[in-house]
Amino acid sequence: MVHQRADSRIEWWKCCSIYQIYPRSFQDSDGDGVGDLNGLLSRVDYLAWLGVGAVWLSPVCRSPMRDFGYDISDYTDVDPLFGTLADFDRLVEALHERNIKVILDVVPNHTSDQHSWFVKSRSSRDDPKRNWYVWADPGPHGGPPNNWLSRFGGSAWEWDARTEQYYYHAFLREQPDLNWHNPEVRSAFADVLRFWLRRGVDGFRVDASAVLAEDPLLRDEPPNPDFDSETPPPEKFNRVFTDARPETMSYIEEMRAVVEEFSDRALLGEVQGGIGRIGQFYDGERPRFHLPLNFLLLDTDWHAATLAAGIDQYINAIPDGAWPVWILGSHDKPRIASQLGLAQARIAAMLLFMLPGTPIFYAGDEIGMPNAMISSEDARDPFEALVPGYGLNRDPERAPMRWDSSEKAGFTTGEPWLPLGDHVEERNVASQQGDRRSLLSLYRQLIALRQTEPALVAGRFQPLRSERGVLLFERCSDDKRLLIALNTRDSSRTCPLQSAGALRLNTHLDRKDERVESQLHLRSNEGVVIEVLTSSA
Ligand code: GLC
């Protein structure tokens, strides 16, 4: 079933629900235990059934996989582990046939150290590509040029014995940073974007986009005043000279201009950092991102009042007319079902799709996938190996998707590259597709409701006082008022209502079209959407 757009005049990236797929873990087609494009192709009908309007695909380009695809050695080819360019084209076509847009993850900040650009750059100080990366002489007393730290541990500078200079890497040493101050780099990357746009992708998620530029003076970062023994060592300094630099903003504007050469495309940006700085990523002199990604729902304590305050702060922090965006899971963050438990995972889902702005969720969250337990010794994520002991391993949220309750969960016929994790029996697609009260059914109904109800897409957002653990707000269009009430507590609640209403959907999926009078009763962990019945609506 392809759901109808709520309003065809609104851009697709505002209307649709976006589904992030980590291709290594979605569906394997050749038995090597790693997901691939043909596997994904075999699941496009599931995506259409679920009602997602766009797929964001984590990187599938050629890569030595030190950071599982975020270390790219060829920007214009598909890694053989995932398939071929022809497979990619077939996948795009199949998704488009189902009215599903394709958003490709691109990684402009760094390449793999195997990329031919870097191989040339490190071959000699005189190589024409030398200045495509960030090279510097040792500091005045020898050693690295300054105190900059890699996010993945240790100095961000790596010594190159052959050419006797250091190169900069914000992430792994195998991920050297491109020198975005160099116009040749920017022009080469613009061509990378055009390559994929011509192949029909509808947009990009731009990886690590806030850290493209570094201070040309290479000034030392100042100490982080909040740093203590529990803070991971990479956070010892505040990233003033390597993060969200003014030049980065203009480079993002250049990328946006490239995307604008094509019609109806969208640019999503991984910008990190707190709410206070997210607004600048929408527009400056010129437009920047359509959707700078917002992780607030994953980073806020799960209490109605705290959530209400965070939502308010975010809505007020983005510029007038900017379109909000919400994320409920990703390949970098612990799973929502493990963070909150299954009962509140339903509340989180209802919140995601009822808030104003574009909802983004992560494959597997719709069936309540938990973090897979992976010991430190078995960790595949380099982050865990380099900064151990702080719970930074990202493998748990990258465990394979479960399609059924068979031994390998329908993901592969071989040995999955990461363990499947617990609760496969009930938390898999097949079991939940057959259960009309499952979390999967709830996701599907929430997506459908948002797609068919204009008040939920373009309607006003009206916060209400959230008390005693119930988060309350309204979404209103000219002719409709929807009241959303979410009980974040494990005990029942009663809320007074100003007008009667009709219950449209509840998170338990066991009440429908019930009339609600002056009191709204919510069971523990129950969320409801109520259409307010009032002549003045
Ligand atoms: C982004 C990706 C993350 C990756 C990092 C380095 O934060 O989401 O998975 O490790 O960039 O490319």
Side-chain angles (χ1 to χ4, degrees), residues 399-458:
M401 182 74 177
R402 300 90 169 275
W403 296 100
D404 55 43
S405 57
S406 65
E407 198 199 335
K408 304 285 167 56
F411 166 68
T412 182
T413 52
E415 204 42 53
W417 76 285
L418 281 176
L420 291 166
D422 296 335
H423 308 298
V424 177
E425 271 299 300
E426 66 289 358
R427 300 196 205 173
N428 68 70
V429 171
S431 320
Q432 295 199 22
Q433 267 185 324
D435 172 0
R436 59 192 177 82
R437 293 194 181 153
S438 64
L439 180 61
L440 179 58
S441 297
L442 176 64
Y443 264 84
R444 186 163 180 257
Q445 291 199 35
L446 286 166
I447 293 170
L449 184 62
R450 187 175 180 280
Q451 293 292 97
T452 47
E453 194 56 79
L456 292 174
V457 177

Side-chain angles (χ1 to χ4, degrees), residues 110-420:
H110 45 270
T111 66
S112 155
D113 60 351
Q114 315 282 303
H115 195 295
S116 63
W117 297 345
F118 187 68
V119 172
K120 288 185 188 126
S121 183
R122 80 184 313 176
S123 69
S124 137
R125 287 197 189 198
D126 303 325
D127 190 273
K129 293 259 179 335
R130 182 66 171 182
N131 199 25
W132 280 43
Y133 291 82
V134 184
W135 291 96
D137 291 327
H141 311 294
N146 60 23
N147 71 357
W148 295 356
L149 295 178
S150 157
R151 279 168 173 68
F152 284 164
S155 169
W157 296 97
E158 181 71 11
W159 177 245
D160 181 63
R162 175 141 54 130
T163 57
E164 298 193 319
Q165 272 189 319
Y166 285 88
Y167 69 84
Y168 173 71
H169 56 94
F171 296 93
L172 296 177
R173 66 159 67 92
E174 294 88 354
Q175 292 170 305
D177 266 51
L178 281 163
N179 176 12
W180 270 77
H181 297 307
N182 183 343
E184 286 175 15
V185 167
R186 305 206 295 278
S187 148
F189 204 79
D191 285 340
V192 168
L193 297 180
R194 290 187 189 102
F195 174 87
W196 292 105
L197 289 163
R198 284 194 199 103
R199 288 202 109 81
V201 307
D202 302 283
F204 299 106
R205 177 264 190 188
V206 185
D207 183 72
S209 53
V211 302
L212 295 178
E214 295 77 35
D215 175 35
L217 301 175
L218 306 186
R219 284 171 283 183
D220 275 340
E221 303 282 25
N224 170 3
D226 300 325
F227 186 80
D228 62 23
S229 58
E230 282 166 32
T231 322
E235 305 315 316
K236 188 168 174 199
F237 302 112
N238 275 348
R239 295 196 164 87
V240 171
F241 293 114
T242 51
D243 200 345
R245 303 292 302 161
E247 299 92 329
T248 294
M249 301 301 158
S250 75
Y251 303 153
I252 294 171
E253 290 169 12
E254 287 181 25
M255 271 192 248
R256 171 68 178 262
V258 173
V259 168
E260 299 287 332
E261 291 168 14
F262 297 74
S263 69
D264 212 19
R265 315 291 165 110
L267 207 53
L268 284 59
E270 185 200 22
V271 296
Q272 305 275 351
I275 285 174
R277 59 175 236 181
I278 210 159
Q280 66 183 318
F281 288 96
Y282 280 95
D283 284 303
E285 295 273 297
R286 293 179 290 159
R288 294 173 183 166
F289 291 117
H290 295 92
L291 299 175
L293 302 184
N294 159 31
F295 287 91
L296 179 120
L297 296 179
L298 291 170
D299 295 339
T300 304
D301 287 340
W302 203 256
H303 302 296
T306 327
L307 283 165
I311 291 165
D312 208 72
Q313 258 184 311
Y314 167 71
I315 299 274
N316 288 317
I318 64 174
D320 283 348
W323 192 257
V325 49
W326 307 92
I327 292 197
L328 205 55
S330 94
H331 66 295
D332 292 331
K333 302 268 190 185
R335 288 274 185 187
I336 194 82
S338 292
Q339 295 284 87
L340 305 179
L342 268 190
Q344 280 298 312
R346 286 177 178 253
I347 296 290
M350 185 170 270
L351 177 60
L352 175 74
F353 293 103
M354 297 300 109
L355 279 171
T358 302
I360 304 185
F361 63 114
Y362 178 49
D365 283 342
E366 75 276 24
I367 50 169
M369 272 180 65
N371 293 326
M373 302 296 281
I374 291 158
S375 67
S376 210
E377 305 82 72
D378 293 335
R380 302 285 304 267
D381 183 10
F383 201 6
E384 177 62 20
L386 293 166
V387 192
Y390 294 89
L392 297 172
N393 187 6
R394 299 169 296 175
D395 294 338
E397 59 265 25
R398 297 174 178 183
M401 182 74 177
R402 300 90 169 275
W403 296 100
D404 55 43
S405 57
S406 65
E407 198 199 335
K408 304 285 167 56
F411 166 68
T412 182
T413 52
E415 204 42 53
W417 76 285
L418 281 176
L420 291 166

